[in-house]
Amino acid sequence: MAVTIAKERWNSKVNELVIGVEPNSVKVGGDSTLPFLFFEGEMPNRPVVALEVCDVEPDDWAKSLTDAYKGVMGDPVAWAKKCIEYGADMICLKLVSSHPDFDNASPEECAKTAKAVADAINVPLIVIGSGVEEKDAEVLPVVAGALEGKAVLLGNAAPSNYKTITAACMVNGHSIIASNPLDINIAKQLNILITEMGLPANRIAIDPLVGALGYGIEYAYSIMERARLGALTGDKMLAMPVICFVGQEAWKAKEAKAEIDETPEWGELERRAILWEAVTATTFAHASGAIMVMRHPEAVREFKRHIDKMMQPASL
């Protein structure tokens, strides 16, 4: 007996975002269907991975992470090159040193580091600030100027500082990450405000502030899915690709930190933590995540193996 597969017909699609410059640019988005449902529409670009690099050596990363980057974590250029060896599609440089409670590095110091990394790699670059919105508004415009012509993805812009960061992206040819606290209405409003300043909608990525497995991932998934459905039904202010900062969330969960003698039923710690990150990233890819910012190279390999399989359309 033949079975007729029900198919949705969408009237719009997600914007295609280009990061970097040819011949080393990366494209994300462009989908006219829900993730991996090739029988309903097109998914021209696969989800991609950016490996995270800090501009100073972190003191709170798990041993399995520091072992993977042993000898390079004190040098962001060497660290970025190691990430490329591990198969990163992009590098995500986090300017931790600019945090007022850390080194409180100047905008010029951060710009010098960012330019050194950008000049040393042959993959696109994402640059994010320390997360202190006032300081990011000071640092990121100077960084944007130093990286003019590199077409980086710059963030994170919030309602309190988006004007300064958006202007810097417009002047220097970059794209922007618009961050919101898992709120689809705030996400949409911020995108409206950014586009009203003149930055094209196809140069915006949405950061919904994701969680990790078991830590609000269902809510994050539903917000991302609602945004994708909005994009496919014609809402232009939700039609931006989604970036997910997976590594920073997955590796702070207790399941990625608890030793085996504390929770023997959970199994060996290192393998468990790697799978925690890989499955978190995989889940968000199915929710419509386009860019996964990750940490462990083995988690990246696991994630990419899954995406390889999912990008092979089944015959229906």
Side-chain angles (χ1 to χ4, degrees):
M1 177 180 176
V3 176
T4 301
I5 303 298
K7 298 180 181 180
E8 293 280 359
R9 292 300 180 207
W10 308 105
N11 57 22
S12 193
K13 64 179 182 178
V14 179
N15 298 332
E16 185 174 74
L17 170 64
V18 181
I19 308 166
V21 294
E22 292 289 353
N24 299 315
S25 61
V26 165
K27 295 179 180 179
V28 295
D31 310 46
S32 60
T33 180
L34 290 170
F36 309 113
L37 300 188
F38 297 100
F39 59 92
E40 290 186 349
E42 296 182 349
M43 189 176 175
N45 302 305
R46 59 185 286 147
V48 298
V49 173
L51 275 170
E52 185 178 333
V53 171
C54 300
D55 64 343
V56 291
E57 186 169 355
D59 59 7
D60 60 348
W61 280 32
K63 184 178 183 299
S64 61
L65 288 172
T66 57
D67 286 347
Y69 300 106
K70 190 173 182 179
V72 299
M73 297 185 78
D75 179 354
V77 170
W79 189 349
K81 290 180 178 179
K82 176 61 71 173
C83 289
I84 295 172
E85 291 178 18
Y86 285 145
D89 301 304
M90 294 187 288
I91 298 299
C92 179
L93 175 65
K94 187 172 183 179
L95 300 172
V96 180
S97 67
S98 66
H99 197 293
D101 295 335
F102 197 65
D103 288 348
N104 200 27
S106 70
E108 291 72 23
E109 290 174 308
C110 293
K112 182 179 179 180
T113 300
K115 189 173 189 310
V117 172
D119 289 344
I121 61 176
N122 60 355
V123 298
L125 181 64
I126 302 169
V127 181
I128 59 173
S130 65
V132 178
E133 294 173 7
E134 298 83 359
K135 187 62 184 282
D136 288 350
E138 298 174 11
V139 170
L140 293 178
V142 179
V143 171
L147 299 178
E148 182 181 6
K150 298 288 189 180
V152 305
L153 183 58
L154 198 68
N156 291 357
S160 66
N161 66 6
Y162 77 91
K163 290 183 179 179
T164 303
I165 301 173
T166 300
C169 288
M170 291 172 61
V171 170
N172 297 289
H174 305 311
S175 298
I176 196 169
I177 301 171
S179 184
N180 66 88
L182 275 176
D183 188 308
I184 197 165
N185 295 314
I186 293 177
K188 182 174 178 177
Q189 182 61 29
L190 185 55
N191 291 336
I192 291 171
L193 293 171
I194 290 172
T195 55
E196 285 180 345
M197 284 188 65
L199 189 72
N202 64 356
R203 283 168 55 188
I204 301 173
I206 297 174
D207 167 28
L209 296 183
V210 301
L213 292 177
Y215 293 82
I217 198 168
E218 297 90 348
Y219 190 46
Y221 191 107
S222 67
I223 292 293
M224 293 165 64
E225 189 174 54
R226 284 176 61 195
R228 169 58 64 88
L229 291 171
L232 295 179
T233 53
D235 192 330
K236 300 301 183 184
M237 291 299 103
L238 290 174
M240 293 75 175
V242 172
I243 182 171
C244 303
F245 290 90
V246 173
Q248 69 180 19
E249 299 301 325
W251 286 89
K252 67 185 181 186
K254 64 181 181 181
E255 287 83 354
K257 297 191 297 185
E259 297 291 344
I260 191 168
D261 56 352
E262 180 183 348
T263 55
E265 68 277 12
W266 288 358
E268 187 267 327
L269 172 59
E270 182 173 355
R271 185 60 180 161
R272 181 203 326 146
I274 290 169
L275 288 174
W276 193 260
E277 182 179 23
V279 177
T280 298
T282 298
T283 301
F284 284 133
H286 285 268
S288 75
I291 304 170
M292 305 296 160
V293 181
M294 302 177 69
R295 289 184 175 177
H296 201 290
E298 182 56 34
V300 170
R301 285 190 284 270
E302 294 282 359
F303 173 74
K304 285 193 168 188
R305 278 194 285 267
H306 178 79
I307 298 302
D308 286 342
K309 294 178 181 178
M310 294 306 301
M311 290 300 292
Q312 300 173 9
S315 299
L316 292 176

